[in-house]
Amino acid sequence: MDVNGGSYENDYNHKWKFQGNKELNNASIFSIRSVINLLTQNIDGNTNRPMISLAIGDPTGFKSYRTTSTAVDAVVDSVRSFDFNSYSPTVGVLPARRAIAQYLSQDLPHQLSPDDVYLTAGCTHAIEVVVSVLGRPGANILVPKPCYQQYEARAAFNHLEVRHYNLIPEKGWEVDVDGVEALADDNTAAIVIINPGNPCGNVFKYQHMKKIAETARKLGIFVISDEVYGHLVFGSNPFVAMGEFASIVPVLTLGSISKRWIVPGWRLGWIVKNDPSNIFNKTGIAESIKNYLDISSDPATIIQGAIPQILEKTNKDFFSNIIKMMKEAAEMLYERIKAIPGLTLPHRPQGSMAVMVKLELALLENISSDLDFCLKLAKEECLIILPGVAVGLNNWVRITFAVELPTFEDGLGRLEAFCQRHAKKQN
Ligand SMILES: *Cc1c(COP(=O)(O)O)cnc(C)c1O
């Protein structure tokens, strides 16, 4: 009861002074999760067909994609040691930083030091840190189109303008380097590349990466290289770390154990300076990263404690088995798409966990867009795939192939049935 004897519940006119964040709530960006929710809601509630999702890169639900017992043992040992129950230093515990420096140096012409490594709560947090550090009114970064949307979503919230350069499907999703030069100006800080590529499933060639490095140098900007799918490759192009070109241009490499070890829930990632000329120190970027981490949350210390064992002891067979399964599914997709009306896959997937497939809307009856395609597919076939709009490319869809083969085959069968049914009759 309030002072007037009325009830609080009925006092509709009371003036509250707080409100939600407009910048967040007006964000026009589709997050992958929100799109998937929308599609899942569209599933026919009367069907008893199990839903199949080829929409997200998290195969932890499949038995054959279980992480290695080496990783599990490492976490158990870390917990049992009682050495990792404290808060960690904001940059991460030294043994973990040392192990990551060692692990990544295997791919590099230079030796990383633990001081080059900052631990984060997954690669998502690494993106948050880097984007936040660069955010200031007027500044911009160059981001690929299509792209993993986290960059854009974060930037929108951090006063950082995003400018899109194209990845060219006809060239195996190489960077449109001329386009990059045309986009950059005096307020450009960095170019983001994702290699192996999400959402395109491509892997950059050495010479192309060198060209990206030289272009960035010419423009006076650095490279943010998202290598969260590092080593998850199975095609003709080997994985090359962007840090290879650090003598040309400074590189911040972002990564995590989420994808290669199939433990996205463990939330352990990193930001690594590949910078033999110490440019990140001279420009204050290194200091800003440290300062941001001082006021941000850390990955769980017990997972940090497990990192040396995870990185040093994981058997090669674990990795090769995962890659073999993904390659089988990716090859099946590539072959079967050829017979599906309205869909084309411009090149063989080479890595990561997903690939972009083009929709030929002119060949399909009663489908107005990629989102419409995915909504109807969910409704009619209980199959979820990601519309291109969720990664910034209309009239394409993204299909995840990190899926157990029988499920994947079932999913492709449904996709084919759907496209056959919606194919325009030839006359
Ligand atoms: C999955 C993914 C991330 C996020 O990785 P987490 O370690 O799970 O936070 C970042 N970038 C790309 C390109 C991804 O696909």
Side-chain angles (χ1 to χ4, degrees):
M1 303 289 264
D2 67 16
V3 285
N4 302 318
S7 99
Y8 288 130
E9 288 100 276
N10 296 330
D11 183 7
Y12 299 116
N13 294 324
H14 191 75
K15 188 170 161 50
W16 299 107
K17 295 178 182 167
F18 52 86
Q19 55 179 288
N21 185 313
K22 287 204 180 105
E23 279 175 60
L24 268 181
N25 297 353
N26 292 344
S28 57
I29 301 154
F30 274 114
S31 78
I32 290 185
R33 281 178 207 192
S34 69
V35 173
I36 290 173
N37 284 341
L38 186 71
L39 296 173
T40 313
Q41 283 160 18
N42 216 43
I43 291 223
D44 181 357
N46 296 321
T47 179
N48 43 22
R49 230 172 158 189
M51 183 187 96
I52 293 180
S53 174
L54 307 180
I56 52 163
D58 179 355
T60 46
F62 299 112
K63 248 193 178 150
S64 47
Y65 276 93
R66 268 198 186 153
T67 194
T68 165
S69 57
T70 308
V72 175
D73 292 343
V75 174
V76 171
D77 291 350
S78 174
V79 175
R80 284 195 196 281
S81 74
F82 293 93
D83 290 338
F84 301 101
N85 289 342
S86 62
Y87 288 114
S88 83
T90 58
V91 293
V93 303
L94 182 60
R97 287 157 58 221
R98 189 187 291 130
I100 291 167
Q102 200 58 39
Y103 168 68
L104 295 178
S105 293
Q106 294 164 19
D107 300 324
L108 296 170
H110 55 277
Q111 180 71 34
L112 296 167
S113 106
D115 291 339
D116 294 321
V117 179
Y118 307 90
L119 300 195
T120 57
C123 191
T124 305
H125 183 215
I127 295 170
E128 174 194 325
V129 173
V130 173
V131 168
S132 303
V133 158
L134 296 178
R136 60 176 174 78
N140 69 74
I141 54 168
L142 311 182
V143 166
K145 176 185 168 157
C147 189
Y148 181 70
Q149 286 299 75
Q150 199 71 31
Y151 289 90
E152 192 156 350
R154 263 288 147 198
F157 194 53
N158 276 286
H159 306 286
L160 187 61
E161 182 197 342
V162 162
R163 297 187 179 177
H164 293 107
Y165 67 82
N166 288 319
L167 299 177
I168 308 169
E170 296 78 20
K171 289 189 170 175
W173 300 105
E174 280 192 348
V175 172
D176 172 13
V177 177
D178 295 337
V180 166
E181 289 204 34
L183 277 178
D185 63 16
D186 284 346
N187 288 317
T188 307
I191 175 172
V192 174
I193 61 167
I194 302 175
N195 182 54
N198 178 12
C200 300
N202 62 308
V203 178
F204 290 142
K205 289 196 172 84
Y206 181 97
Q207 283 305 331
H208 182 61
M209 294 171 73
K210 187 159 179 233
K211 200 166 156 194
I212 295 170
E214 285 163 352
T215 305
R217 180 183 179 87
K218 187 168 144 195
L219 296 170
I221 65 178
F222 75 89
V223 179
I224 298 166
S225 186
D226 183 330
E227 297 175 11
V228 78
Y229 294 100
H231 293 281
L232 286 177
V233 300
F234 44 78
S236 49
N237 300 348
F239 169 67
V240 178
M242 192 66 202
E244 178 85 33
F245 307 98
S247 60
I248 302 174
V249 67
V251 177
L252 285 183
T253 301
L254 315 187
S256 78
I257 59 169
S258 303
K259 307 289 165 62
R260 197 178 187 200
W261 274 268
I262 326 269
V263 287
W266 291 11
R267 312 314 301 136
L268 193 294
W270 51 78
I271 301 168
V272 172
K273 290 182 290 175
N274 285 278
D275 182 23
S277 316
N278 272 322
I279 293 156
F280 288 131
N281 284 347
K282 289 175 200 154
T283 52
I285 293 284
E287 191 186 346
S288 297
I289 293 173
K290 167 78 170 65
N291 287 340
Y292 190 90
L293 289 173
D294 282 348
I295 54 168
S296 143
S297 186
D298 316 313
T301 316
I302 51 167
I303 305 294
Q304 298 188 34
I307 282 293
Q309 270 195 58
I310 294 175
L311 298 190
E312 287 155 20
K313 301 240 170 86
T314 298
N315 197 310
K316 283 197 172 61
D317 294 346
F318 168 71
F319 297 133
S320 51
N321 181 47
I322 297 284
I323 284 174
K324 182 168 156 277
M325 289 192 292
M326 295 207 305
K327 181 178 174 144
E328 262 172 25
E331 291 289 322
M332 177 190 282
L333 177 67
Y334 185 72
E335 292 306 322
R336 286 199 52 181
I337 286 265
K338 291 175 185 167
I340 303 183
L343 301 187
T344 50
L345 183 47
H347 74 110
R348 234 173 243 280
Q350 293 221 355
S352 87
M353 292 183 172
V355 72
M356 293 298 279
V357 172
K358 189 168 193 203
L359 297 183
E360 307 285 351
L361 290 181
L363 301 179
L364 296 168
E365 197 81 65
N366 196 21
I367 304 280
S368 62
S369 67
D370 49 283
L371 183 59
D372 189 36
F373 181 94
C374 293
L375 284 167
K376 287 176 174 150
L377 183 64
K379 194 175 186 69
E380 294 175 28
E381 297 286 345
C382 275
L383 175 64
I384 308 284
I385 62 174
L386 197 70
V389 64
V391 290
L393 198 62
N394 293 330
N395 296 338
W396 291 71
V397 292
R398 190 189 73 168
I399 296 183
T400 301
F401 48 75
V403 172
E404 271 181 359
L405 218 52
T407 308
F408 194 67
E409 209 168 353
D410 187 351
L412 291 185
R414 296 184 192 192
L415 184 63
E416 180 161 7
F418 178 84
C419 289
Q420 295 286 7
R421 203 162 52 243
H422 287 267
K424 278 202 178 135
K425 307 289 169 285
Q426 311 284 341
N427 20 348

